[in-house]
Amino acid sequence: MGAVVIFAPSPVLTVTIEDLDGEADIHIHAGGQGIWQARMMHALGASVTLCGMFSGEVGRVARHLVRDEGIQVLSVEGPGSNGAYIHDRRGGERQVLAESAGHRLTRHELDQLYGLVIQAGIDAGTAILSGPAREGIVPDDAYRRLASDLETAGCTVIADLAGPQLEAALQGGVSVLKIAEDELVASGRAVSPEAVDLVPAMQKLADDGAETVIVTRAHLPSLLLHEDDISEIHMPSLETVDARGAGDSLTAGVAAALAAGSPIHEAVVLGTAAGALNVTRHGLGTGDADTIQQLTRLVKITPYQGGGLEPAEQSSPDELARRLRRP
């Protein structure tokens, strides 16, 4: 695998309480979109450099945890604090006990972080622009400038964004844009989550600055727009433990494969397999490369035929194992 740099402006510290035979099982990790992407890419064997703001005692703990995972960190420190949350999953669903969003980056902090991303991006050749923990952490226009400057420096720029950050990045130009169907509808670019409405929205995204567009659709096949061709990405739907992080894992797989020189369709296959495995696990952005590579055998990319799409097939673990063993 190749090298990837991630712009992760606001990592968070996560505390999750699980049930283990009637006892509280407490897990402490660094989290946030950029962290989950970095974790999956590292599992796939990519060389990952994460550029982010790590401030206060929360930030120091989060940075330590990220480095412990083997991920290179280029950090900016300041007088504020990173965000954090405490979630209780003992009842089966996430219950929010406490959340802190973290501070807005100052002008000097943003300038420092911007410089780190450009420098690391030039060295890596592939960059992911990930979103902030909340609105207002960084100015939206930072995404336009980063997309433009990284592209000028010869980087493959991958954006996993929504809302104002998405619009800003499009103005700068991106190589690959990944977005979920609900985010596309919420932005007003698509009038409904139906495929017949998503396709023209994808074509408009391409007109506005995205060379390739991937739209994820939960249990339905994802859609891919590349060089004016629309494809459907089919993957058996595995039994879900936690759906969060699947889209970030898909982005990570795509980025890792592109950084290694794979063509876009192979990259999408790897990303789809990574996202599919992630939903079967409690940890966000987690998985092992061998299992993901096996799952790529189940991913099918077919031409889009128009109209509605059938839901992805649900597979039990036993059925999945049988299918993977088939020659």
Side-chain angles (χ1 to χ4, degrees), residues 254-276:
V254 170
L258 290 178
S262 298
I264 186 63
H265 287 82
E266 290 183 15
V268 170
V269 166
L270 182 67
T272 300

Side-chain angles (χ1 to χ4, degrees), residues 28-31 35 38-40 42-43 62-72 284-286:
I28 303 175
H29 298 285
I35 300 291
R39 184 174 293 139
M40 177 57 77
H42 180 68
R63 181 175 56 195
H64 177 76
L65 292 171
V66 176
R67 286 176 171 165
D68 270 1
E69 295 187 46
I71 297 167
Q72 181 179 355
L284 304 184
T286 63

Side-chain angles (χ1 to χ4, degrees), residues 159-163 166-167 177-185 187 189 202 205 213-217 223 251:
D160 190 345
L161 302 166
L166 163 64
E167 301 299 331
L177 169 67
K178 195 277 304 184
I179 187 169
E181 59 176 353
D182 57 338
E183 295 168 335
L184 202 50
V185 173
S187 70
R189 282 182 168 270
M202 295 169 69
L205 287 168
V213 180
I214 304 167
V215 176
T216 57
R217 308 190 67 213
L223 297 175
T251 299

Side-chain angles (χ1 to χ4, degrees), residues 14-253:
T14 75
V15 180
T16 305
I17 309 170
E18 304 277 358
D19 178 74
L20 182 62
D21 297 328
E23 300 289 336
D25 187 24
I26 300 174
H27 298 264
I28 303 175
H29 298 285
Q33 185 183 43
I35 300 291
W36 298 326
Q37 292 164 344
R39 184 174 293 139
M40 177 57 77
M41 279 190 289
H42 180 68
L44 289 168
S47 174
V48 185
T49 300
L50 186 135
C51 299
M53 187 78 196
F54 293 87
S55 296
E57 60 183 24
V58 170
R60 288 193 293 273
V61 172
R63 181 175 56 195
H64 177 76
L65 292 171
V66 176
R67 286 176 171 165
D68 270 1
E69 295 187 46
I71 297 167
Q72 181 179 355
V73 176
L74 298 179
S75 65
V76 174
E77 299 181 41
S81 177
N82 284 66
Y85 65 68
I86 302 174
H87 288 179
D88 189 342
R89 279 180 49 94
R90 286 174 290 182
E93 300 291 333
R94 287 184 181 269
Q95 179 184 358
V96 178
L97 301 183
E99 286 186 333
S100 174
H103 79 285
R104 178 184 177 89
L105 272 65
T106 67
R107 177 169 61 89
H108 296 297
E109 291 168 347
L110 179 59
D111 285 347
Q112 278 187 272
L113 184 57
Y114 196 97
L116 291 177
V117 176
I118 296 297
Q119 179 182 353
I122 292 172
D123 289 339
T126 303
I128 293 179
L129 303 183
S130 70
R134 65 171 176 85
E135 297 292 332
I137 293 286
V138 295
D140 298 332
D141 191 58
Y143 286 93
R144 178 194 62 79
R145 295 192 296 120
L146 274 172
S148 177
D149 288 346
L150 286 167
E151 185 178 64
T152 298
C155 287
T156 297
V157 180
I158 301 164
D160 190 345
L161 302 166
Q165 293 88 29
L166 163 64
E167 301 299 331
L170 285 173
Q171 292 179 37
V174 299
S175 304
V176 179
L177 169 67
K178 195 277 304 184
I179 187 169
E181 59 176 353
D182 57 338
E183 295 168 335
L184 202 50
V185 173
S187 70
R189 282 182 168 270
V191 297
S192 86
E194 298 298 322
V196 290
D197 293 320
L198 293 175
V199 168
M202 295 169 69
Q203 292 167 333
K204 183 64 166 61
L205 287 168
D207 291 340
D208 290 347
E211 294 178 20
T212 298
V213 180
I214 304 167
V215 176
T216 57
R217 308 190 67 213
H219 63 288
L220 293 172
S222 300
L223 297 175
L224 169 67
L225 169 61
H226 178 66
E227 295 182 347
D228 296 326
D229 290 330
I230 302 287
S231 303
E232 302 169 6
I233 309 164
H234 298 264
M235 173 74 204
S237 179
L238 308 186
E239 295 186 9
T240 301
V241 171
D242 192 341
R244 296 198 323 155
D248 297 322
S249 294
L250 185 151
T251 299

